Amino acid sequence: MGKTNDNSLQLNERQREIVKMIDRNGAARVADLSSMFHVSEETIRRDFEKLEKDKLLRKIHGGALKVDQGVETPQLHRQSKNAEEKQVIAKKAASFVENGDIIAVDASTTALMVVQHVKDKSITVITNSIGVTMELSTEDHIRVILIGGYLSKASMSLVGNFAERVIEDYHVDKFFFSCLGVDIQRGVSEMHEDQALVKKQLISISENLYLLADSSKFGEKSLFRLCDVSILDYLITDNKVSMNSIREVNKSGVSIIVGDEN
């Protein structure tokens, strides 16, 4: 936000507040800002146009992001971020997979780690992740269903309307997925719309939901809301999560499970 101070003199009060909110939260939706400021959605879109021109935000469909966000982080970079915590979470999550299960996993790096620990199981795996598909391609006793769509190169996953329509025909026993943010009020949220829509479809056909979220995700809010925290069956995290976060999740009726390094 290097130009904020210079350009802020040219902004009205609402626009300055929008910049502050997006700088603080990372993202904002047109509909939410329209309601908050009691103006039309078209007015907010015009604000976004000016603010993007001033390089104070990045417009996307339905909202806006901080200028340093918006492009999916490449998978190799995501794998290295909080890798130890993700491995602990993945190992714990894998312990819930049983022979005969039909599971779904998203294109997150944590989900990729989960399938590395279930290769001894006879299961069906539904995914939009090319990485997961390749990881399981040599396992004869694991049936892999790759959801079709167009390629997101950064996450090496398939997304889009076709992927969402195909998902409707399936049934899933257990869905293991990650997110960008977990907040009791905002719920579970994701930065990228294409990934969010696929995850929402998988949530809708799954009997049991397992959210895999390392401690850095707690208290974070992102642009696209996936679901309420309360509809989760399990939230699996690492041992760096705060006791206050554990209490909040427990109050919502969700079983929170803290992985260990054993």
Side-chain angles (χ1 to χ4, degrees), residues 80-106:
S80 65
K81 187 176 181 181
N82 299 325
E84 291 183 8
E85 290 84 355
K86 290 177 180 179
Q87 194 63 248
V88 166
I89 292 168
K91 189 173 181 180
K92 178 60 71 173
S95 69
F96 289 90
V97 178
E98 301 174 318
N99 284 320
D101 276 346
I102 301 172
I103 72 168
V105 295
D106 68 0

Side-chain angles (χ1 to χ4, degrees), residues 4 30 55 76 113 116 120 153 206 211 215 234 249 255:
T4 302
V30 170
K55 296 181 171 55
L76 287 176
M113 293 176 184
Q116 293 169 351
D120 60 332
K153 293 181 180 179
S206 300
L211 180 65
S215 51
Y234 299 94
V249 172
S255 297

Side-chain angles (χ1 to χ4, degrees), residues 114-227:
V114 171
V115 300
Q116 293 169 351
H117 294 287
V118 298
K119 293 183 178 181
D120 60 332
K121 307 288 185 182
S122 296
I123 57 177
T124 297
V125 178
I126 300 173
T127 187
N128 68 323
S129 168
I130 293 173
V132 167
T133 304
M134 295 300 295
E135 184 70 34
L136 300 177
S137 62
T138 59
E139 306 302 321
D140 293 337
H141 53 289
I142 297 180
R143 183 188 185 197
V144 180
I145 300 173
L146 178 62
I147 300 166
Y150 70 83
L151 177 64
S152 169
K153 293 181 180 179
S155 59
M156 290 303 291
S157 64
L158 300 176
V159 294
N161 292 334
F162 181 75
E164 297 158 38
R165 289 197 300 271
V166 169
I167 293 170
E168 295 176 358
D169 296 330
Y170 293 119
H171 161 81
V172 171
D173 296 317
K174 299 165 184 175
F175 178 31
F176 298 89
F177 65 107
S178 190
C179 63
L180 192 142
V182 183
D183 180 82
I184 295 300
Q185 281 72 45
R186 171 69 171 159
V188 182
S189 55
E190 175 62 67
M191 179 63 72
H192 305 285
E193 183 178 24
D194 289 338
Q195 297 292 345
L197 292 174
V198 171
K199 292 181 187 186
K200 289 184 81 166
Q201 282 292 93
L202 286 168
I203 287 170
S204 72
I205 64 166
S206 300
E207 285 192 15
N208 295 284
L209 302 176
Y210 294 75
L211 180 65
L212 317 176
D214 66 71
S215 51
S216 71
K217 307 286 181 69
F218 284 79
E220 295 295 318
K221 303 173 186 177
S222 196
L223 187 61
F224 297 100
R225 186 174 177 278
L226 296 178
C227 63

Side-chain angles (χ1 to χ4, degrees), residues 28-37 39 41 44-45 48 62-63:
R29 296 174 64 237
V30 170
D32 292 341
L33 294 177
S34 172
S35 176
M36 179 179 299
F37 291 108
V39 296
E41 293 190 4
I44 297 299
R45 291 190 187 97
F48 282 177

Side-chain angles (χ1 to χ4, degrees), residues 247-261:
R247 283 192 292 268
E248 284 189 332
V249 172
N250 283 334
K251 284 181 182 178
S252 69
V254 176
S255 297
I256 185 166
I257 298 170
V258 178
D260 53 51
E261 299 181 1

